[in-house]
Amino acid sequence: MEQLTADFGGAGIVGTGVGPVLEKFEGISRIAVLRGGGLGDLLFAVPAITALKAAYPGAEVTLLGTPIHEQVVKATVGPIDSVRILPYAEGVRPGEEDPEGLERFFAEMRAEGFDLAVQLHGGGRYSNPFLLRLGARHTVGTRTVDAASLERTVPYLYYQNEPLRALEVAGFAGAPPVDLEAKLAPSASLDEDLVNNEAQALVVIHPGATDPRRRWPAERFAELAAACAADGCQVLVVGDLNEQPLAERIAELAAVSSPGMVRSVAGELDVSGLAALLARCTVMVANDSGPRHLAQALGAPTVGIYWAGNVINAGALGRSLHRVHPSWTTKCPRCGIDVTQVGWTAPRCSHNDSLVEEVAVTAVYEDVRGLTARSLHLRGR
């Protein structure tokens, strides 16, 4: 069996960060970073991009990403200079492939003359061949045993904190860490009509998640929202258009005991408006989802509801501003299959039962109260 080891590309180790920091490349003026996926996937990559910008201060960084990534970059101030939307390609961006469109994309990318291409998109089975077609002088990324090798590769093992994994890759590109987690600022002001300035605090709830198994039941969110409203907090439930029915149900359930203080704004905010709201809120409560990661990047305290395995990959590192409530469920509630075997290591069952249902409302509420009190104390209220 092939041993998965780091490939240093002939470079020496000059320091340590999350892992070894290798020698910098010479003459780097254009950097491409490959990171598809959703909102959270982009935020996992931001610390590595920040490190690359610091290591190569004269270089322009182009993110090869998705439409939601482009919206986030426009809505925030961060380290990314430009975004190019990825074409549909197996294992990189799901959708119907257009062979001619793919060829045009790669021709355009080769014409850009990238000096360095960095792969932060999974284990590399599909993303490494994709990256190699960009024609960059140097390539760095992660790799599983069945993936094509790049000039320098970091072994890809599923259970690793994603921002730290990306920082380990950046270290192989000669870039030591600057920030361990994403730091962004909103580029637009908040619509003040959203905020009730008479409320004790502003609590934002996001009840969605890409994987339905990561979703806390709507009834739990509603119970939490009602408790926060009873304390005098304004509660806004956010989400996209697909999550609008879920958000409205939570607001309706909570309004039974706390009328007027809980409202759904799901489907009403673009990414710029969401970023401004999250930067302003007192506390954000959510499942393991992109909006929770965005709130953290914007400096908002958060309370996250996680399946235990996802804490390893996506949980906040600190606990002064961020609290994590893990569910220790290890088997599918419906069929009993082991859900700790993930990715390519084992098939996923077809069931979407919540893996986080066991997380108690009282525990989440206590953390919301604690973080709210802390925030109000710092603001002198």
Side-chain angles (χ1 to χ4, degrees):
M1 181 176 179
E2 181 182 353
Q3 285 292 108
L4 184 62
T5 58
D7 188 344
F8 284 33
I13 298 174
V14 297
T16 56
V18 172
V21 175
L22 306 187
E23 295 168 319
K24 289 173 60 176
F25 296 109
E26 297 293 332
I28 303 298
S29 61
R30 294 187 62 78
I31 301 173
V33 175
L34 173 60
R35 175 70 261 194
L39 173 54
D41 297 307
L42 168 61
L43 296 170
F44 296 153
V46 166
I49 297 172
T50 299
L52 290 167
K53 287 287 284 187
Y56 301 101
E60 179 180 344
V61 174
T62 298
L63 172 70
L64 308 183
T66 59
I68 186 64
H69 296 171
E70 184 175 48
Q71 294 170 41
V72 172
V73 170
K74 290 179 179 178
T76 59
V77 178
I80 298 167
D81 296 304
S82 61
V83 180
R84 291 295 300 267
I85 302 300
L86 288 163
Y88 296 121
E90 185 178 6
V92 173
R93 186 182 174 204
E96 185 176 350
E97 289 189 14
D98 173 11
E100 292 184 0
L102 271 172
E103 287 299 331
R104 285 194 301 272
F105 175 82
F106 287 118
E108 292 171 1
M109 292 300 97
R110 288 191 290 269
E112 292 282 344
F114 291 116
D115 302 298
L116 170 62
V118 180
Q119 189 275 102
L120 301 178
H121 186 88
R125 180 184 301 172
Y126 298 103
S127 48
N128 283 0
F130 188 99
L131 193 84
L132 290 167
R133 293 182 67 182
L134 302 176
R137 288 195 297 114
H138 300 288
T139 56
V140 182
T142 47
R143 177 178 178 257
T144 55
V145 294
D146 60 347
S149 188
L150 306 175
E151 183 177 353
R152 300 177 184 176
T153 52
V154 176
Y156 182 93
L157 303 170
Y158 180 79
Y159 282 118
Q160 181 180 6
N161 179 271
E162 290 291 349
L164 298 188
R165 187 200 308 279
L167 281 170
E168 191 169 2
V169 173
F172 270 46
V178 176
D179 296 319
L180 296 181
E181 296 175 301
K183 290 183 180 178
L184 300 172
S187 59
S189 300
L190 178 65
D191 179 358
E192 292 297 330
D193 289 340
L194 286 174
V195 180
N196 177 0
N197 290 314
E198 300 302 315
Q200 282 292 311
L202 173 58
V203 176
V204 173
I205 287 176
H206 179 242
T210 304
D211 187 339
R213 297 175 302 173
R214 299 202 310 258
R215 297 176 191 163
W216 208 32
E219 294 77 13
R220 305 287 173 84
F221 275 116
E223 184 180 343
L224 174 70
C228 293
D231 286 341
C233 299
Q234 179 187 13
V235 181
L236 296 179
V237 188
V238 300
D240 59 25
L241 283 172
N242 293 327
E243 295 162 338
Q244 193 171 35
L246 173 61
E248 291 177 350
R249 182 183 174 209
I250 290 168
E252 289 170 4
L253 288 172
V256 172
S257 56
S258 302
M261 296 298 285
V262 183
R263 173 188 165 196
S264 167
V265 293
E268 298 180 20
L269 302 175
D270 59 12
V271 175
S272 181
L274 176 63
L277 175 63
L278 294 177
R280 175 73 170 272
C281 75
T282 312
V283 182
M284 204 268 193
V285 186
N287 303 310
D288 173 20
S289 69
R292 195 220 66 83
H293 300 302
L294 181 59
Q296 178 182 336
L298 292 164
T302 69
V303 180
I305 298 151
Y306 281 80
W307 174 63
N310 294 134
V311 175
I312 299 171
N313 290 65
L317 298 178
R319 293 294 174 266
S320 56
L321 291 178
H322 308 289
R323 306 295 167 79
V324 171
H325 290 269
S327 164
W328 299 100
T329 298
T330 60
K331 296 183 184 298
C332 171
R334 186 82 59 92
C335 69
I337 194 172
D338 183 359
V339 295
T340 66
Q341 302 302 306
V342 293
W344 64 93
T345 59
R348 180 206 191 287
C349 70
S350 61
H351 306 127
N352 289 321
D353 301 59
S354 174
L355 298 179
V356 296
E357 186 173 1
E358 69 178 41
V359 174
V361 175
T362 52
V364 176
Y365 172 60
E366 285 304 313
D367 271 343
V368 173
R369 286 191 65 189
L371 290 172
T372 299
R374 177 191 179 280
S375 179
L376 294 178
H377 173 74
L378 291 176
R379 295 177 187 178
R381 289 186 63 176

